[in-house]
Amino acid sequence: MPITSSARRALGAREMPAPTGASEGERSRTMTRQPRTRLALLEAAVRRLAEREAQVLTPDEMPDPRGGVDALADGFALALHRYLTRHRELLVARYELALEATRRPELREFFDAAGQRLRDPLNALVTAAGSRDPARHVLSLVAWCDGLMFSCVAGSFHDSVPSVDELRESFRELLRGMLTP
């Protein structure tokens, strides 16, 4: 079940429904492993989202930055296109959880820490690629990707996804601007 459907439904009711076929004792044992508070449930959803995003974005599979801008642009384009075309439900879940984190400071810290696990490898990549200001460049890359993803999932381009070639060219332009002295 997609994280968005189960998470949204679970925010209102945390019990395991009887029609699942589980006995009362099994449902009771399962409930002891379930989050007991709304915050714990949201943290579990953020944790699961971060795990799923890492599988989709595959930071470990990014090309060697010594391969130059073209290699990085290709890796980023493939990962972003995969996210936009095959995992849109994760993006919706991400936006819903991000909005929830703006209303709950205790979730904000948890949400930011989960995001940091994806930003750290990106920081290492742009540093190895020769960035003179990795923190600023990571912010620019993440902001550009976030804007594109939002536009293609919930914004004015919701029915349009750039091709891998279009993404590759956009990443080349962005990376050349960042990494060319």
Side-chain angles (χ1 to χ4, degrees), residues 9-49:
R9 193 169 44 255
L11 291 176
R14 291 192 316 265
E15 63 231 33
M16 180 186 284
T20 62
S23 71
E24 184 64 37
E26 287 173 307
R27 286 198 310 270
S28 177
R29 282 191 300 280
T30 300
M31 285 305 299
T32 61
R33 293 189 302 262
Q34 298 296 320
R36 292 289 196 202
T37 65
R38 182 174 172 82
L39 179 60
L41 179 66
L42 290 167
E43 288 175 351
V46 168
R47 188 178 310 107
R48 179 67 179 133
L49 177 66

Side-chain angles (χ1 to χ4, degrees), residues 41-98:
L41 179 66
L42 290 167
E43 288 175 351
V46 168
R47 188 178 310 107
R48 179 67 179 133
L49 177 66
E51 291 166 2
R52 298 266 321 269
E53 282 187 320
Q55 293 167 350
V56 172
L57 296 173
T58 60
D60 300 342
E61 295 177 10
M62 283 292 137
D64 186 333
R66 293 173 295 189
V69 167
D70 288 341
L72 284 176
D74 190 51
F76 290 154
L78 290 171
L80 191 57
H81 191 265
R82 178 175 48 242
Y83 204 170
L84 287 168
T85 58
R86 293 190 232 158
H87 301 282
R88 294 171 74 90
E89 76 280 357
L90 288 180
L91 287 168
V92 173
R94 179 190 220 220
Y95 298 134
E96 289 191 29
L97 289 168

